[in-house]
């Protein structure tokens, strides 16, 4: 289950061309960094291995040479007189041993360091070594080994005590090796070898080979990444173009759908207001039938108002959204109280079926100032709200109270309240910032009446175009109230 959720979550990510570019750069830099780190590790390993090998090889060479000298000295009896022929052979053997070390390309210095009368001497010639060993005399001592003698002074006592090979490293690649020189179990000095081993050509060859391998490896990876990059970028480009076409097609279809829905809504709105126009036309016909010299002025005023309202209804049938200047304009100077009185007296109280089922009370503030809104637009707002109270308030003893006043903030208020059943709580829930009561196709009528649920919707939309606010709420003592807040 978690795997399925992970895959679904992964599908939510939308990879763009820039994402692939960044991924490509990161992979290449990562591989380059790994190559450099690996190269540094190999180089460090080779240096450590080389240093260990050089030191071990130099010490073994010094030890073998010292052992050869010691074995040769074992055959020499210093207490007996040696013939000149034997002496020459021994001196020649010393010279061979000493000269062979000088032939080694890594060995720079080779000598035997001895101590006589608290002075240190370096012997690198067979005759001088023979003379010292047989006659205990120093002849022809070389002065090229001052540095070696200085180092030997520091470690001489320790070397004599421990009888272990000591190596002093200088310049990282130069090994100064001191091997205890023993004669018949007695310590007489040290064999010194200065060995400068240079295996850098091997390291360089290995590093060079690794560099070649790394270049080939990185080149192959680079080619693979480039191929993936171009294929992915081409795929993303094709996808983006397809999505662009899809979005354009969806936009066209959405535009068509919006136009279609607007036309459908507009048709329903026309149907909703058509029966109101029919009702007004009935009042006009009735007034014309009852026309007489005694009521001509009153009838003329009323029929003119009716006709202007019919004209406004017809005008609204021509537009989805009427221009703002036809709704609110400085040329309009409408008296709210007069509009409310006319609607109540000449619409709701004129119905032939009027009974004692409801009563309308007016509490109008005579000091309220006119508003710059078309009076028939106000008519379109108030008529459906009053009608809603009549239809949904109840069948008996319904009192509808219409009130105008100015609140503490100086705003004009029109209040339409009743003592009826009130508004269903579910209709007062906010959806997208608008109470459901003021949304389209929302109705509490139980009968299957088509095109219902437009009265409060139309009132809310027209109120919004006027720049006013319309709200609805239930009254704690029972009933409901529609509050119109007028902002000048």
């Amino acid at each position: 289950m978690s795997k399925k959720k992970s895959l679904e979550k992964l599908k939510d990510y939308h990879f763009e061309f820039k994402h692939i570019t960044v991924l490509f750069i990161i992979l290449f830099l990562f591989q380059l960094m790994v190559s450099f780190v690996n190269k540094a590790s190999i180089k460090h390993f080779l240096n450590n291995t080389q240093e260990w090998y050089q030191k071990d090889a130099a010490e073994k060479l010094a030890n073998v040479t010292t052992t050869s000298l010691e074995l040769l000295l074992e055959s020499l009896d210093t207490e007996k007189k040696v013939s000149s022929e034997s002496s020459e052979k021994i001196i020649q053997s010393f010279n061979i041993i000493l000269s062979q070390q000088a032939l080694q390309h890594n060995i720079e210095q080779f000598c035997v360091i001895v101590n006589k009368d608290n002075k240190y001497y370096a012997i690198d010639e067979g005759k001088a070594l023979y003379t010292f060993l047989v006659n205990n005399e120093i002849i022809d001592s070389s002065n090229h080994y001052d540095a070696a003698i200085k180092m030997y002074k520091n470690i001489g006592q320790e070397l004599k005590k421990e009888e272990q090979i000591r190596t002093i490293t200088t310049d990282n690649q130069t090994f100064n090796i001191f091997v205890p020189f023993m004669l018949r179990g007695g310590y007489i000095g040290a064999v010194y070898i200065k060995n400068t081993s240079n295996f850098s050509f091997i390291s360089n060859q290995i590093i060079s080979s690794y560099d070649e391998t790394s270049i080939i490896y990185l080149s192959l990876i680079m080619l693979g990444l480039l191929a993936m990059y171009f294929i992915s970028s081409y795929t993303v480009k094709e996808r983006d173009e397809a999505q662009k076409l899809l979005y354009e097609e969806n936009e066209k279809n959405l535009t068509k759908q919006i136009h279609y829905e607007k036309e459908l809504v507009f048709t329903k709105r026309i149907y909703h207001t058509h029966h109101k126009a029919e009702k007004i036309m009935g009042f006009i016909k009735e007034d014309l039938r009852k026309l007489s010299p005694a009521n001509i002025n009153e009838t003329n005023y009323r029929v003119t108002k009716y006709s202007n309202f019919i004209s406004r209804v017809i005008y609204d049938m021509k537009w989805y959204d009427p221009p703002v200047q036809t709704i609110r304009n400085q040329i309009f100077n409408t008296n709210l109280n007069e509009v409310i009185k006319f609607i109540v007296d000449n619409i709701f109280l004129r119905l032939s079926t009027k009974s004692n089922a409801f009563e309308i009370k007016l509490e109008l503030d005579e000091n309220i100032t006119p508003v710059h809104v078309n009076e028939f637009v106000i008519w379109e707002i108030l008529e459906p709200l009053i009608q809603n109270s009549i239809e949904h308030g109840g069948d008996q003893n319904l009192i509808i109270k219409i009130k105008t006043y100015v609140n503490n903030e100086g705003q004009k208020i029109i209040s339409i309240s009743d003592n009826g059943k009130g508004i269903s709580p579910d209709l007062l829930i906010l959806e997208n910032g608008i109470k459901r009561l003021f949304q389209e196709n929302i109705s509490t009528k139980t009968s299957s009446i088509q095109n219902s649920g437009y009265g409060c919707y139309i009132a809310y939309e027209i109120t919004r175009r006027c720049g006013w606010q319309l709200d609805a709420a239930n009254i704690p003592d029972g009933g409901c109230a529609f509050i119109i807040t007028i902002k000048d």
Side-chain angles (χ1 to χ4, degrees):
M1 189 67 179
S2 58
K3 184 178 180 181
K4 184 177 180 180
K5 289 183 178 179
S6 301
L7 292 175
E8 290 178 354
K9 187 175 181 181
L10 185 62
K11 292 178 181 178
D12 294 336
Y13 292 96
H14 185 70
F15 289 95
E16 300 289 348
F17 182 78
K18 58 184 178 182
H19 299 145
I20 296 176
T21 303
V22 172
L23 183 62
F24 169 77
I25 294 173
I26 291 175
L27 286 175
F28 181 75
L29 292 178
F30 177 76
Q31 184 59 42
L32 198 62
M33 182 179 67
V34 169
S35 178
F36 279 118
V37 171
N38 196 17
K39 179 180 178 180
S41 300
I42 291 177
K43 193 171 182 179
H44 180 70
F45 171 75
L46 289 176
N47 289 336
N48 290 339
T49 303
Q50 175 182 320
E51 182 180 354
W52 171 82
Y53 176 75
Q54 288 173 339
K55 180 180 178 181
D56 183 69
E59 289 179 352
K60 285 183 178 180
L61 178 62
N63 189 34
V64 170
T65 303
T66 304
T67 302
S68 299
L69 288 173
E70 290 176 350
L71 291 175
L72 181 61
L73 290 175
E74 288 295 330
S75 62
L76 177 64
D77 189 356
T78 56
E79 296 179 357
K80 294 182 180 180
K81 186 176 181 180
V82 182
S83 63
S84 58
E85 183 179 353
S86 298
S87 299
E88 290 296 330
K89 287 182 179 181
I90 294 173
I91 293 172
Q92 185 178 6
S93 298
F94 283 154
N95 284 330
I96 290 173
I97 294 174
L98 295 174
S99 61
Q100 276 185 341
Q101 308 310 317
L103 295 177
Q104 300 286 337
H105 68 278
N106 291 330
I107 297 177
E108 295 183 0
Q109 292 181 350
F110 181 87
C111 67
V112 178
I113 300 176
V114 297
N115 184 2
K116 179 176 174 57
D117 300 330
N118 294 326
K119 290 184 179 181
Y120 295 94
Y121 301 95
I123 302 172
D124 60 356
E125 195 266 332
K127 186 175 180 181
L129 180 60
Y130 180 82
T131 302
F132 173 77
L133 294 175
V134 175
N135 302 324
N136 198 21
E137 296 179 358
I138 299 297
I139 60 171
D140 194 21
S141 177
S142 176
N143 57 357
H144 300 302
Y145 303 96
D146 293 338
I149 292 174
K150 185 177 180 181
M151 287 186 286
Y152 179 73
K153 288 180 181 179
N154 296 329
I155 64 171
Q157 294 299 324
E158 184 179 352
L159 191 67
K160 180 179 180 181
K161 182 180 178 181
E162 296 179 357
E163 294 184 1
Q164 297 288 330
I165 298 175
R166 291 295 304 275
T167 302
I168 300 175
T169 305
T170 58
D171 300 333
N172 294 327
Q173 292 185 347
T174 301
F175 300 94
N176 299 278
I177 304 168
F178 296 88
V179 182
F181 187 36
M182 314 294 292
L183 179 60
R184 296 186 180 89
Y187 180 85
I188 60 175
V191 175
Y192 168 74
I193 297 178
K194 183 179 181 181
N195 191 331
T196 304
S197 302
N198 186 5
F199 294 96
S200 59
F201 68 96
I202 299 177
S203 300
N204 293 336
Q205 186 66 29
I206 294 174
I207 295 298
S208 177
S209 300
Y210 176 78
D211 287 339
E212 292 177 1
T213 305
S214 297
I215 291 173
I216 296 173
Y217 181 66
L218 284 175
S219 299
L220 292 174
I221 292 178
M222 182 70 177
L223 290 174
L225 289 176
L226 282 174
M228 294 172 58
Y229 177 76
F230 285 117
I231 293 173
S232 301
S233 60
Y234 178 77
T235 304
V236 170
K237 182 180 178 182
E238 291 291 326
R239 183 202 63 190
D240 290 343
E241 290 179 355
Q243 285 184 342
K244 183 180 178 182
L245 294 175
L246 179 61
Y247 290 152
E248 290 176 354
E249 186 66 24
N250 286 339
E251 184 179 0
K252 291 179 181 178
N253 293 334
L254 186 60
T255 303
K256 292 179 181 179
Q257 183 68 20
I258 291 173
H259 285 304
Y260 173 76
E261 290 180 356
K262 280 186 175 182
E263 290 177 357
L264 183 60
V265 171
F266 183 60
T267 303
K268 292 180 179 180
R269 285 172 54 189
I270 290 175
Y271 179 85
H272 183 268
T273 56
H274 181 265
H275 77 281
K276 299 184 183 298
E278 286 183 331
K279 180 172 64 176
I280 300 301
M281 287 300 299
F283 292 156
I284 293 175
K285 292 177 182 180
E286 184 180 353
D287 283 341
L288 291 177
R289 285 195 301 267
K290 295 180 180 181
L291 183 63
S292 66
N295 64 5
I296 188 169
N297 291 329
E298 180 186 351
T299 303
N300 179 60
Y301 172 75
R302 191 165 52 242
V303 170
T304 301
K305 290 285 188 180
Y306 288 155
S307 301
N308 289 335
F309 178 72
I310 296 298
S311 298
R312 182 68 194 188
V313 171
I314 294 173
Y315 177 81
D316 287 343
M317 292 179 180
K318 295 163 53 179
W319 304 89
Y320 291 130
D321 296 313
V324 177
Q325 62 270 20
T326 65
I327 297 175
R328 50 181 177 169
N329 201 311
Q330 291 297 322
I331 64 174
F332 300 129
N333 202 31
T334 304
N335 189 311
L336 291 173
N337 295 337
E338 289 182 1
V339 175
I340 293 172
K341 287 179 181 179
F342 184 86
I343 294 173
V344 172
D345 295 337
N346 297 286
I347 299 295
F348 293 102
L349 299 182
R350 186 175 174 174
L351 294 174
S352 58
T353 58
K354 165 60 171 74
S355 63
N356 294 326
F358 68 90
E359 179 183 358
I360 299 178
K361 294 182 179 181
L362 301 180
E363 295 181 8
L364 306 178
D365 185 357
E366 296 299 332
N367 296 321
I368 198 166
T369 58
V371 294
H372 303 296
V373 175
N374 189 302
E375 63 174 306
F376 301 104
V377 172
I378 299 175
W379 190 339
E380 290 179 302
I381 296 173
L382 298 177
E383 193 275 336
L385 297 179
I386 299 173
Q387 187 66 39
N388 186 81
S389 293
I390 294 173
E391 291 181 354
H392 301 284
D395 296 333
Q396 298 295 329
N397 301 322
L398 178 65
I399 299 176
I400 300 172
K401 185 183 295 185
I402 303 175
K403 183 178 179 181
T404 61
Y405 61 94
V406 178
N407 64 9
N408 296 331
E409 298 178 1
Q411 298 172 327
K412 302 180 186 70
I413 304 296
I414 302 176
S415 172
I416 303 173
S417 61
D418 61 60
N419 61 346
K421 299 177 181 178
I423 303 172
S424 177
D426 64 304
L427 296 179
L428 298 178
I429 298 174
L430 287 175
E431 290 185 359
N432 300 321
I434 303 174
K435 291 183 177 180
R436 293 187 67 247
L437 177 68
F438 300 123
Q439 293 182 4
E440 193 174 4
N441 284 329
I442 299 298
S443 176
T444 57
K445 294 179 181 179
T446 56
S447 59
S448 57
I449 301 175
Q450 293 184 350
N451 301 303
S452 62
Y454 279 88
C456 293
Y457 166 74
I458 292 174
Y460 181 83
E461 288 296 318
I462 298 175
T463 304
R464 191 165 55 86
R465 293 192 188 103
C466 293
W468 302 349
Q469 288 183 350
L470 173 60
D471 195 11
N474 285 322
I475 301 173
D477 296 334
C480 67
F482 292 97
I483 305 298
I484 301 173
T485 303
I486 299 173
K487 297 181 179 180
D488 292 334

